[in-house]
Amino acid sequence: MQIVKQYPIHKCGHEKYSISGTKCLQSMIGRNNLFRYIIATQDRDLQDSLRKIPGVPIIYLHGKAPTLEAPSQASHKYAENIRKGLGMTEREKENIKILKEAAGIIEKAEVKFKKKKKKGPNPLSCLKKKKKHKQIF
C-alpha cells in the first residue's frame, strides 16, 4: 500500500456522466499515450484496441502471475521510424570519414584475442599416492 500511495491519481473527467471503463481508458490514453499510462486489463477487446496505439504497455494476469506483454507491432514501427530519423545519412557518414582523414585520426584496427592453448592435467592430480602408515596402540 505504501508503494501505491507514491503514484499520482489522474481523474478521467467522466464523473458527471457514466461511460464504460473501456471507453474511459481509451479516452485517457488518446492517440499517442501522452501521459505514458500502463494499462492492466483482462479485457481482450481493450487489449486489441490498445495494441494499435504505439507506446502503451499492457499488463494482464496469466494464472496468478502478472505478465507484461511484448511491445506491439505499432510500437515497433514507431520506434523504427524514430531510429531512422535520428540516424545519419550516407552523405554525412562519408563527410565524417573525409574529415577524420584530413585531421589525421585513424580508426583503431580490430583487436584480436589470443586463443587459449590446451592445458595439461592438474599437476597435483599427477602426484603419486602417499602410503598411509597404520598406528598400533
Side-chain angles (χ1 to χ4, degrees):
M1 197 64 177
Q2 294 294 331
I3 295 170
V4 174
K5 288 180 181 179
Q6 296 176 23
Y7 293 103
I9 297 172
H10 290 255
K11 301 284 184 179
C12 64
H14 299 120
E15 287 84 21
K16 294 180 182 177
Y17 52 94
S18 62
I19 62 171
S20 69
T22 303
K23 289 183 181 180
C24 179
L25 288 173
Q26 287 175 338
S27 69
M28 287 179 72
I29 289 175
R31 291 183 160 208
N32 56 2
N33 196 11
L34 190 63
F35 293 105
R36 303 290 180 235
Y37 290 118
I38 299 172
I39 303 297
T41 182
Q42 290 291 103
D43 185 6
R44 296 289 181 193
D45 295 330
L46 178 60
Q47 289 177 358
D48 291 338
S49 65
L50 293 177
R51 284 187 192 106
K52 297 174 185 172
I53 302 170
V56 180
I58 300 171
I59 298 176
Y60 61 92
L61 290 177
H62 185 73
K64 293 182 180 180
T67 306
L68 178 65
E69 192 173 273
S72 65
Q73 191 66 27
S75 296
H76 282 292
K77 287 180 182 177
Y78 181 75
E80 186 67 24
N81 289 340
I82 289 176
R83 189 183 67 79
K84 285 181 181 178
L86 294 177
M88 293 188 295
T89 63
E90 292 296 322
R91 184 175 176 207
E92 290 172 338
K93 289 178 184 178
E94 291 173 9
N95 286 342
I96 289 175
K97 278 185 181 180
I98 293 169
L99 291 172
K100 281 183 179 181
E101 290 173 1
I105 300 172
I106 301 172
E107 293 186 19
K108 294 181 180 179
E110 294 181 19
V111 178
K112 294 183 181 180
F113 293 100
K114 293 182 182 179
K115 290 185 178 180
K116 292 185 178 181
K117 296 179 183 178
K118 186 176 179 183
K119 297 182 180 180
N122 186 347
L124 297 176
S125 66
C126 295
L127 295 177
K128 292 184 179 181
K129 304 289 181 190
K130 294 182 180 179
K131 293 183 181 181
K132 294 182 180 179
H133 296 284
K134 293 184 181 179
Q135 294 181 353
I136 302 175
F137 291 101

